[in-house]
Amino acid sequence: MKKFFQFYKWELKNELYGCIYFAAMLSMYCILVLIHGGRNVDIFIMLQMLLVCYGISTFQMIIFSDENKYSKKELFIKLGLWFICSMILIIIISIIFNWFDSMETWAIGSFLIYMIICFIGIWVGIYITNKLDSKNLNQMLSNYQNKDSN
């Protein structure tokens, strides 16, 4: 049962990141469709984007295990690997499934730049959240130790 709950927790976190990536990806794609005079987004493109985002978040969860602390060099390498693989996946899938077929050529470039900014923003958010969590946990531990010693 413990393994089931660990997997459930892992999957819940995975889906959270996948949904964040999907919201970012779909919002930019919708803006590009509107700029190019469209008013509809193909449901199959949305499904493809959802699956790509789930794949990116799954790769993220696999490569960044919660149990490990990484040196700055290891973290930089893992971030680079995750980032490059994610961008390559987005590029390949968008070309294979013609996401930008009815748009001008600059659309894919602006989409990729937006995704780069989103990935960086998300990782900055994760970093800040982890720092705040660590600070709070250390403060709680310090309070507990001080309370215990009195």
Side-chain angles (χ1 to χ4, degrees):
M1 194 62 138
K2 184 179 178 182
K3 290 221 183 257
F4 172 76
F5 287 122
Q6 286 174 332
F7 175 74
Y8 187 79
K9 181 182 173 186
W10 182 88
E11 183 58 29
L12 194 61
K13 193 173 181 182
N14 185 23
E15 288 180 19
L16 171 67
Y17 286 118
C19 288
I20 291 169
Y21 298 141
F22 178 64
M25 188 179 286
L26 184 60
S27 63
M28 183 59 177
Y29 187 78
C30 288
I31 291 168
L32 291 170
V33 167
L34 282 171
I35 289 171
H36 285 89
R39 296 187 50 95
N40 301 314
V41 175
D42 188 340
I43 193 78
F44 290 113
I45 290 177
M46 290 173 58
L47 178 62
Q48 294 158 7
M49 287 180 174
L50 181 63
L51 293 174
V52 166
C53 291
Y54 188 77
I56 290 169
S57 66
T58 301
F59 184 59
Q60 172 186 334
M61 295 294 294
I62 290 169
I63 199 167
F64 296 104
S65 172
D66 280 343
E67 293 100 34
N68 295 332
K69 293 288 181 187
Y70 305 109
S71 68
K72 288 189 183 218
K73 182 180 178 182
E74 286 175 317
L75 183 61
F76 184 75
I77 290 169
K78 286 180 176 282
L79 272 172
L81 178 65
W82 170 79
F83 180 77
I84 290 168
C85 289
S86 297
M87 293 308 294
I88 289 171
L89 180 63
I90 291 170
I91 292 167
I92 290 172
I93 296 298
S94 69
I95 291 170
I96 289 173
F97 292 106
N98 301 315
W99 291 358
F100 302 97
D101 222 19
S102 62
M103 298 182 200
E104 295 177 35
T105 54
W106 59 265
I108 193 166
S110 61
F111 181 81
L112 294 175
I113 290 169
Y114 177 78
M115 290 309 299
I116 290 168
I117 292 168
C118 286
F119 284 151
I120 291 169
I122 290 165
W123 274 99
V124 167
I126 290 170
Y127 177 79
I128 291 170
T129 301
N130 286 341
K131 284 288 188 185
L132 290 173
D133 284 349
S134 294
K135 183 179 178 183
N136 288 339
L137 286 172
N138 286 335
Q139 183 63 41
M140 288 174 23
L141 179 60
S142 177
N143 290 344
Y144 177 78
Q145 288 172 336
N146 289 338
K147 188 183 205 182
D148 216 28
S149 65
N150 290 333

